Amino acid sequence: MYQGFYNLVSGMLTQSRNLNVVSNNMVNVQTPGYKNDTMVSTTFQEEMLKRTGRWGDSDEADLIESSKIITASETYVDYTQGSFEATGGVYDFALSGNGFFCIQTNDGQTRYTRNGSFAVDNEGYLVLNDQGRVLGTNGQPIQIGNEEFLVDSKGRITSRSAYINGTLQGNTAEFGTLRVVDFVDYDQLHREDNGLFSTDQAALQASENTQVLWQSLEKSNVDMVEEMTSMMSSQRALQSAAQMLKMYDRIMEKSSVDIGRV
């Protein structure tokens, strides 16, 4: 009887956590570069149930392994690349292939993101949603004088005046080159707020196959239909567990009141 309480309450807590993950995915379905989260549950502390003899426990026999609790194990991030949307915005960038943009946060830390929906601050520096300034390959924030610039597939930002008849001249005015990095183990990336990631592992130069798409944004890789299905499944499981828990409570109350009188 008491095992049912453990099963139901732990199930409710786990489904509630899954609903939080699903809700966060749905909220960020329109966030550029957002990567889908998936929560995985597991059993907790399995125990061996035993049968003992009628007069003692010397002849006990193993019956079956059982776990009274289900719990959240881990939340996995799906780093699959999303589709691209041409925006025409001069401060919009996307990455085709593996890699991350580098952001210098307000406290001087370096964070990484796939969200290339940039802007410029009042000093002309390229920034991400007030989270920090975008870093160049020289390790310094990129400062852009005006909107008259062009960007190539390697992320090099060059003044439009440096081009004559569509040809880049030798004496160019460069604002900088976007620093794009990659990592050996994505499992060591830690998701933070506002689409940023942090890690203790060393950043590597992104592959030559990774390209910067200018005036485009990478869409979120969240599948809205799948998230809706997961949300309804978790809600039903949560409601069912809550109803069963009420039944358990009534049975226990009745047993303690009515049977206790006998």
Side-chain angles (χ1 to χ4, degrees):
M1 178 64 72
Y2 290 104
Q3 180 172 339
F5 281 103
Y6 288 110
N7 292 337
L8 292 171
V9 173
S10 64
M12 291 175 64
L13 292 174
T14 301
Q15 294 301 333
S16 178
R17 292 174 182 173
N18 187 55
L19 283 172
N20 290 336
V21 173
V22 171
S23 299
N24 187 59
N25 287 337
M26 296 175 68
V27 167
N28 287 282
V29 69
Q30 296 296 332
T31 301
Y34 179 82
K35 300 305 176 185
N36 183 71
D37 278 336
T38 301
M39 194 199 77
V40 178
S41 61
T42 185
T43 55
F44 177 77
Q45 193 174 350
E46 293 189 353
E47 299 176 346
M48 176 65 73
L49 300 183
K50 298 177 180 292
R51 180 182 63 190
T52 59
R54 182 176 181 181
W55 306 110
D57 57 3
S58 59
D59 59 342
E60 65 181 19
D62 295 341
L63 291 179
I64 190 174
E65 285 189 358
S66 176
S67 175
K68 299 180 177 63
I69 295 177
I70 184 173
T71 185
S73 173
E74 190 173 351
T75 300
Y76 292 94
V77 181
D78 178 11
Y79 292 98
T80 303
Q81 182 172 279
S83 60
F84 298 109
E85 177 184 10
T87 64
V90 295
Y91 299 121
D92 290 341
F93 302 84
L95 291 176
S96 175
N98 296 333
F100 298 84
F101 297 112
C102 298
I103 307 298
Q104 184 183 70
T105 60
N106 297 327
D107 59 1
Q109 301 294 319
T110 300
R111 295 294 182 262
Y112 310 96
T113 185
R114 293 282 297 192
N115 185 355
S117 180
F118 300 147
V120 291
D121 60 16
N122 54 8
E123 297 181 28
Y125 285 98
L126 203 60
V127 296
L128 171 65
N129 299 329
D130 297 328
Q131 299 305 309
R133 292 174 173 176
V134 182
L135 293 177
T137 52
N138 61 355
Q140 299 299 317
I142 297 176
Q143 188 176 31
I144 300 178
N146 52 63
E147 295 185 355
E148 296 299 319
F149 61 87
L150 299 173
V151 184
D152 63 16
S153 61
K154 295 303 179 183
R156 183 169 60 172
I157 306 174
T158 309
S159 173
R160 189 181 296 273
S161 62
Y163 287 80
I164 299 179
N165 297 326
T167 302
L168 183 63
Q169 303 303 301
N171 186 18
T172 62
E174 291 189 18
F175 296 121
T177 301
L178 293 170
R179 185 187 179 200
V180 180
V181 300
D182 201 5
F183 300 96
V184 174
D185 186 4
Y186 280 17
D187 289 338
Q188 295 186 36
L189 294 178
H190 174 69
R191 184 194 288 278
E192 299 188 1
D193 295 334
N194 303 299
L196 299 179
F197 293 90
S198 63
T199 182
D200 292 331
Q201 61 184 313
L204 305 176
Q205 184 66 31
S207 169
E208 289 292 330
N209 296 326
T210 300
Q211 295 186 341
V212 176
L213 305 181
W214 183 41
Q215 296 183 331
S216 297
L217 289 175
E218 179 187 3
K219 292 184 177 180
S220 161
N221 66 353
V222 174
D223 186 330
M224 197 62 175
V225 175
E226 182 177 339
E227 296 304 311
M228 286 290 293
T229 302
S230 179
M231 181 183 69
M232 290 187 290
S233 177
S234 290
Q235 284 179 332
R236 289 172 181 172
L238 182 62
Q239 292 170 355
S240 298
Q243 292 174 355
M244 288 296 297
L245 195 61
K246 290 181 180 179
M247 293 177 60
Y248 266 88
D249 185 59
R250 290 170 185 168
I251 293 174
M252 293 299 296
E253 180 182 2
K254 193 171 185 63
S255 64
S256 62
V257 175
D258 295 345
I259 298 178
R261 296 173 180 173
V262 177

